[in-house]
């Protein structure tokens, strides 16, 4: 089974190698691009990306950022047709270390700044949409179908005044967000938090190592720890 998995990865690497070359040489100087820090592992589209708005901070090494990784799609879960990396309106995306972005995931910096910490891993079909700022710490793990946005999508006015300004989202270190979770604008989560499946997070939680669940999410257990298992399937 291990050999089969390796061969499958090699084949996907060959199929998507032109995309791998594109994102590396589009966003990095030659001396860094030839190291191929970006590896495209599935169907993925890039829009508006360049050296100014997509960056890697820290030491660059081969294969450190895996885009459109298959992950649990092999277990029968539906996968969006493509993953997207979109930057426009002066936005930016920064990768701070090892990163794995699941198949069908869209990361859109629409005027906002998205920062992904070291050892960030998200599963399939996630959606990050920023018009201000989304900052994610180190050792953060996302399940599938996670939605994070720092805006409401459209401005709302009352008597001519804006009533729903964009608000940054900040996630601390070693956070685990289970599947089908929505994290809304203005939310800040402390280190070590676990967010339960299908939760809607509308308010900040500043107490570390807690389990939050519900709609809206609230703390249901304290002094909780979890193990980060960085296993690709």
């Amino acid at each position: 089974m291990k050999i089969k998995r390796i061969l499958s990865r090699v084949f996907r690497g060959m199929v998507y190698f032109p995309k791998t070359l594109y994102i590396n040489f589009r966003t990095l100087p030659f001396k860094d691009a030839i190291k191929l820090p970006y590896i495209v592992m599935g169907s993925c589209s890039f829009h508006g990306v360049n050296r100014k708005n997509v960056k890697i901070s820290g030491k660059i090494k081969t294969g450190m950022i895996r885009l459109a990784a298959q992950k649990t799609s092999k277990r029968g879960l539906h996968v969006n047709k493509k993953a997207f990396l979109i930057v426009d309106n002066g936005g930016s995306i920064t990768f701070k270390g090892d990163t794995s972005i699941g198949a069908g995931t869209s990361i859109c910096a629409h005027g906002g700044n998205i920062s992904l910490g070291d050892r960030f891993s998200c599963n399939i079909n996630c959606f990050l949409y920023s018009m201000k700022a989304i900052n994610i710490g180190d050792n953060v793990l996302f399940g599938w179908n996670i939605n994070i946005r720092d805006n409401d999508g459209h401005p709302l006015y009352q008597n001519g005044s804006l009533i729903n300004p964009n608000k940054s989202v900040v996630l601390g270190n070693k956070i685990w967000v289970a599947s089908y979770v929505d994290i809304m604008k203005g939310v800040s989560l402390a280190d070590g938090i676990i967010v339960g499946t299908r939760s809607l997070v509308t308010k900040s939680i500043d107490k570390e190592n807690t389990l939050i669940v519900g709609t809206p999410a609230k703390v249901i257990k304290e002094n909780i720890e979890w193990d980060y298992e960085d296993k690709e399937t």
Side-chain angles (χ1 to χ4, degrees), residues 62-122:
T62 301
M64 63 185 292
I65 300 167
R66 299 168 296 283
L67 302 173
Q70 299 300 303
K71 295 180 174 287
T72 51
S73 60
K74 293 183 178 179
R75 298 176 187 168
L77 294 170
H78 170 75
V79 181
N80 295 331
K81 290 183 178 180
K82 283 187 178 182
F84 287 89
L85 214 62
I86 302 172
V87 185
D88 56 19
N89 289 358
S92 70
I93 300 173
T94 301
F95 298 95
K96 293 187 174 181
D98 288 341
T99 304
S100 180
I101 305 296
T105 288
S106 293
I107 298 179
C108 178
H110 184 61
N113 303 304
I114 297 176
S115 176
L116 306 177
D118 186 29
R119 296 189 77 223
F120 170 71
S121 177
C122 75

Side-chain angles (χ1 to χ4, degrees), residues 174-176 189-195 205 207 209-210 212 226:
K174 203 180 180 185
I175 287 175
W176 173 20
L189 297 181
D191 295 349
I193 284 178
I194 302 170
V195 185
I205 306 292
K207 191 171 185 60
N209 301 109
T210 54
I212 66 173
W226 65 280

Side-chain angles (χ1 to χ4, degrees), residues 36-64:
L36 300 182
Y38 295 100
I39 301 294
V40 179
M41 305 177 69
S43 182
C44 189
S45 288
F46 305 103
H47 300 276
V49 299
N50 57 53
R51 294 184 184 182
K52 293 182 178 180
N53 59 33
V54 177
K55 302 175 182 178
I56 299 174
S57 65
K59 184 178 180 180
I60 290 179
K61 58 185 179 180
T62 301
M64 63 185 292

